[in-house]
Amino acid sequence: MTKRIIIILSLALSYLGAVPALAQDYSKVEIKSTKVAGNVYMLEGAGGNIGVSVGPDGLLIVDDQFAPLADKIKAALRNLGEGKLKFVLNTHWHGDHTGGNASFSAEAPIIAHDNVRRRLASGQRLEIFKETIPAAPKEALPVITFDQSLSVHFNGEEIRVIHFPHGHTDGDSVIFFSGSNVVHLGDDFFAGRFPFVDLESGGSVQGLIKNVDEIIPKLPADVKLIPGHGPISTVEDLKAYRRMLVETTDLVRKQLAAGKTLEQVKKAGLPDEWKSWGTGFIKTELWLEIVFRSLSVK
Ligand SMILES: [Zn+2]
């Protein structure tokens, strides 16, 4: 294997955290903390962006990246406030968002959609990466689950957790920090890059577009958005992402209707306008494959 292939493979594996400590050298990862607005901060390290509510009631976190980073994340949280960790929310089950659960559950209850617990508890297969993820231990499972939505009244605001079905997975939640005017969109939003859509976990590209269409009207114009991956964003950034989803999906749909194969769709590629969107974890060809497969499901 060439070095390049090894790097690509280890990035792909570390994205979902199936091969935790071996695939990536977490000792080099630093946790960067940024104030978003109001009570809310964002932590970046490796994996999905972490949202943090900091205030007189203590700390609440949204997602917890990879298990080997838990101590570094805890140190970053101590720098944000003296208060205790009171709640952990998971936006969805993927290992780059829930890998720290087993460590953080000793301090605070984990809250997530029913399907997050179900998928973590049973283990999963990610066909597109030829990857099998074993069942998570009991300590990593959410202990409070919900079907549609719930609210945590914390640090002087209502933190509203709303489930959006069949987008990135079938267990995604979007977290509205109503007083701080910040929204964490989990992996329904990859800012400025093609998203991974987990078709084996009940996700769908068409469902993702529908979710984004439902989320946009709920957002005040000056809201700050925390994407699952990528920098702090605005409503305009989310609208650009929506346009990318709609236009690239339409292109694939037309080719499917004309009887093109996946290989032909990949070879045709996408207009230059979307080139920079394929420089993240999901390259253009893989994005086209995800869209093709999603549209092909009957
Ligand atoms: Zn994900």
Side-chain angles (χ1 to χ4, degrees):
M1 246 188 317
T2 67
K3 197 175 170 197
R4 193 173 128 82
I5 290 170
I6 293 168
I7 290 168
I8 291 167
L9 267 180
S10 77
L11 278 175
L13 292 170
S14 67
Y15 174 76
L16 293 157
V19 187
L22 295 175
Q24 188 172 350
D25 183 2
Y26 290 101
S27 68
K28 302 278 194 301
V29 175
E30 286 177 29
I31 307 294
K32 182 184 154 203
S33 163
T34 310
K35 171 140 186 173
V36 184
N39 301 326
V40 182
Y41 291 76
M42 177 170 103
L43 301 183
E44 294 165 271
N49 291 325
I50 298 175
V52 190
S53 168
V54 183
D57 296 336
L59 303 172
L60 168 150
I61 60 173
V62 179
D63 291 345
D64 50 33
Q65 297 192 347
F66 296 107
L69 296 174
D71 286 341
K72 289 184 183 183
I73 294 166
K74 287 175 186 176
L77 292 175
R78 278 193 298 274
N79 283 334
L80 289 179
E82 292 297 306
K84 281 203 166 82
L85 181 66
K86 296 287 180 58
F87 297 102
V88 177
L89 306 178
N90 288 156
T91 58
H92 64 293
W93 75 267
H94 286 153
D96 57 327
H97 296 256
T98 61
N101 275 10
S103 176
F104 286 101
S105 69
E107 297 178 22
I110 299 169
I111 304 172
H113 184 262
D114 297 334
N115 289 341
V116 176
R117 182 179 164 97
R118 190 170 63 80
R119 291 197 178 276
L120 281 173
S122 63
Q124 297 298 316
R125 174 76 183 163
L126 291 165
E127 202 52 51
I128 204 152
F129 302 121
K130 303 276 175 284
E131 204 182 340
T132 300
I133 291 145
K138 181 174 172 285
E139 305 77 57
L141 301 180
V143 292
I144 298 171
T145 65
F146 63 92
D147 180 20
Q148 298 294 329
S149 67
L150 66 75
S151 291
V152 182
H153 298 270
F154 195 68
N155 286 336
E157 68 181 331
E158 180 177 4
I159 301 171
R160 193 136 179 78
V161 187
I162 302 181
H163 169 58
F164 286 84
H166 304 289
H168 174 69
T169 67
D170 63 3
D172 304 295
S173 293
V174 173
I175 322 297
F176 294 78
F177 295 90
S178 53
S180 297
N181 201 19
V182 174
V183 178
H184 191 314
L185 288 102
D187 278 2
D188 268 355
F189 184 24
F190 279 56
R193 59 202 75 185
F194 296 131
F196 172 52
V197 177
D198 187 350
L199 306 179
E200 275 93 30
S201 295
S204 118
V205 175
Q206 305 93 302
L208 178 60
I209 293 170
K210 191 165 170 278
N211 290 349
V212 173
D213 277 340
E214 281 178 30
I215 292 164
I216 288 173
K218 295 183 197 295
L219 301 173
D222 56 348
V223 73
K224 295 271 198 319
L225 304 178
I226 302 177
H229 299 268
I232 295 168
S233 298
T234 64
V235 176
E236 286 311 306
D237 298 324
L238 182 62
K239 286 179 178 170
Y241 173 73
R242 179 201 175 273
R243 192 168 70 80
M244 178 280 296
L245 293 175
V246 169
E247 292 186 14
T248 59
T249 301
D250 281 350
L251 278 172
V252 176
R253 189 182 283 114
K254 280 185 192 127
Q255 293 174 80
L256 254 176
K260 303 280 191 223
T261 64
L262 174 59
E263 282 318 305
Q264 289 170 320
V265 169
K266 282 184 177 178
K267 196 146 181 277
L270 286 171
D272 275 355
E273 179 178 9
W274 308 118
K275 205 169 183 178
S276 69
W277 293 70
T279 53
F281 165 64
I282 301 291
K283 307 295 178 212
T284 301
E285 284 206 354
L286 186 53
W287 172 238
L288 289 169
E289 179 170 346
I290 290 168
V291 176
F292 187 96
R293 286 197 194 196
S294 187
L295 293 174
S296 301
V297 174
K298 289 286 171 283

